[in-house]
Amino acid sequence: MASSSHRRPRPERRTRRVPVVTVVAVAAVALVVSLVVAFRPDGGSETGADGGARTVVPAAGAGVSGSPTATGTTGSPSPKPKPSTASPSATAGRASTPAATPSGASGSSGGRSAAPAARTASGTAPSAGRIAPGTSYRGVATSYDVGDGNGACSYGPTSDVMTAAMNTADYETSKACGAYVLVRTGSGASITVRITNECPAPCEAGQLDLSRQAFAKLAPLSAGRIPVTWSLLSPATSDTVSIRYKTGSTRYWCGIQAIGHRNPLARLEVRTSAGWTALARTDYNYFLSEQGTGCGGALRLTDIYGERLTVEGIAVRANVVQSTRVQFARH
C-alpha cells in the first residue's frame, strides 16, 4: 500500500506540469508578438474601414516588406503623383473614327456638335504657322475701304465690316484666313476683327490693314497709321463650320473651302481607301484635289490646336455653302 501510495502522486504532478508549460508557451508567443508590433515602422496599426486604428498581426511565416514613406521637410508624407487625365491621341489616317453627318448632328449654344464622335484630338497640335496662340505681336494698323467685304480669303461679299487684311508674311498662304484677332492700342482701346484679306507690300510683317470702320474704333481715320499689339482669339460664337466646293468642282477635280471656323484651320483632309490624305492649300484659301481624290467623300478638318472634326455627307455642289453643324472648341 505504501508503495502504491507513493506511486499515485506522479500522475498528479504530471497533471500540474501541463498548465505551467502552457502558460510559459503563451507568454513566449505574446512576447514575440509584442516585439514584432513594437518594432514595426508604422507602430503596428492602420486605419480600418470605420476610421479607427486596428492592430495588424503578420500571418504566420509571412515576410514583411515595403519601403518607408517619404517625407518632406515638415515630416508629412510626400503626395503621390496623380494619374494623367489626358486622352490617348488619335492616329492620323484612322478611318474607323465615327463621323458626324450634317443631318445627324445638332448644334449647341456654343456652336459645337452634339455628336462627340465627330471630335477628336491629335497627339500634337499641327504647326500654327507664324501666328501662334498665346503670343502678342507688335505692329502698326492702317485702314482701307473693304467695299463689299470680299477679299483674298475668297469668303465672298459680307456685311460684316469688323474685318482686316493680314500682311503677306503673316497671311502665310492663307493660313491666317478666318482668324479672329484682338487689336489693342497704347491708350487701351481695342477691337476684335476677322482676317478676310491679304495686305501685300508695302505692308510689313506685323501690320494689319483694318476696315475703316474697325480702325475708327481705335483712332480717328486721320491718324492714318498707329502702333498696335495684336493676338489670336478663340471667340464665343453660335456659328458652325460650313463647307463650300469651288466653282467648277466635280468628282474628278475639286477645290474645298471651310468657312466659319472658330480657330484658324491648319489642315483639310479627304478620306480615301488608303486613309486620310491632306490637300494642298492655295493662297486664295481653297484646298485642291487635282485628281479628284476624295471629292464628295468624308472630310477631316484640323485646327491649330490639334482638334479634328470629321464630316460626312457633303456632296459636290459647286459654290454652295453647306452646313456641317459642328464647331471647334473654344480656347
Side-chain angles (χ1 to χ4, degrees):
M1 291 292 297
S3 60
S4 298
S5 62
H6 286 304
R7 289 192 187 104
R8 263 186 216 128
R10 291 179 183 176
E12 294 176 1
R13 283 196 294 271
R14 283 198 300 269
T15 302
R16 284 194 293 270
R17 269 195 207 107
V18 172
V20 172
V21 173
T22 302
V23 171
V24 172
V26 171
V29 171
L31 178 61
V32 171
V33 171
S34 63
L35 289 175
V36 171
V37 171
F39 286 100
R40 283 188 57 163
D42 58 358
S45 64
E46 64 182 31
T47 303
D50 58 356
R54 58 186 176 88
T55 301
V56 179
V57 179
V64 179
S65 63
S67 58
T69 304
T71 58
T73 55
T74 59
S76 58
S78 299
K80 296 180 180 179
K82 296 181 179 180
S84 172
T85 57
S87 301
S89 61
T91 304
R94 185 176 177 181
S96 60
T97 303
T101 61
S103 59
S106 60
S108 63
S109 59
R112 301 185 189 180
S113 168
R119 186 183 302 279
T120 60
S122 61
T124 57
S127 172
R130 289 175 58 89
I131 305 175
T135 304
S136 182
Y137 299 89
R138 292 185 179 276
V140 295
T142 50
S143 66
Y144 79 110
D145 183 2
V146 298
D148 64 2
N150 197 7
C153 293
S154 305
Y155 290 135
T158 177
S159 59
D160 178 14
V161 293
M162 292 297 106
T163 59
M166 181 65 73
N167 66 83
T168 296
D170 295 319
Y171 182 79
E172 203 175 1
T173 315
S174 77
K175 282 186 178 180
C177 285
Y180 288 88
V181 173
L182 175 64
V183 187
R184 296 181 182 274
T185 67
S187 65
S190 65
I191 184 67
T192 297
V193 294
R194 186 169 65 100
I195 304 302
T196 60
N197 208 349
E198 178 183 9
C199 183
C203 274
E204 57 199 31
Q207 182 172 347
L208 291 172
D209 207 21
L210 307 177
S211 69
R212 290 180 179 176
Q213 294 87 339
F215 188 96
K217 292 183 177 294
L218 300 177
L221 290 175
S222 58
R225 183 182 177 96
I226 58 174
V228 294
T229 58
W230 54 272
S231 57
L232 192 64
L233 281 184
S234 179
T237 178
S238 59
D239 292 340
T240 55
V241 180
S242 296
I243 298 295
R244 176 165 55 194
Y245 277 94
K246 195 178 187 308
T247 300
S249 292
T250 68
R251 62 191 181 94
Y252 303 105
W253 177 97
C254 65
I256 309 172
Q257 180 187 59
I259 305 170
H261 40 86
R262 186 198 309 268
N263 307 317
L265 195 63
R267 189 164 54 241
L268 188 150
E269 299 165 280
V270 293
R271 188 162 61 197
T272 68
S273 58
W276 291 103
T277 300
L279 299 184
R281 191 173 197 163
T282 66
D283 59 0
Y284 52 89
N285 197 33
Y286 272 90
F287 294 81
L288 297 186
S289 177
E290 298 282 3
Q291 307 302 321
T293 302
C295 295
L299 306 176
R300 186 165 71 177
L301 313 178
T302 306
D303 70 3
I304 63 172
Y305 297 94
E307 183 181 4
R308 294 169 177 163
L309 301 178
T310 304
V311 181
E312 293 187 279
I314 303 296
V316 180
R317 300 173 61 193
N319 203 30
V320 175
V321 176
Q322 302 181 63
S323 174
T324 66
R325 298 186 182 180
V326 295
Q327 182 60 275
F328 291 113
R330 189 179 183 188
H331 292 269

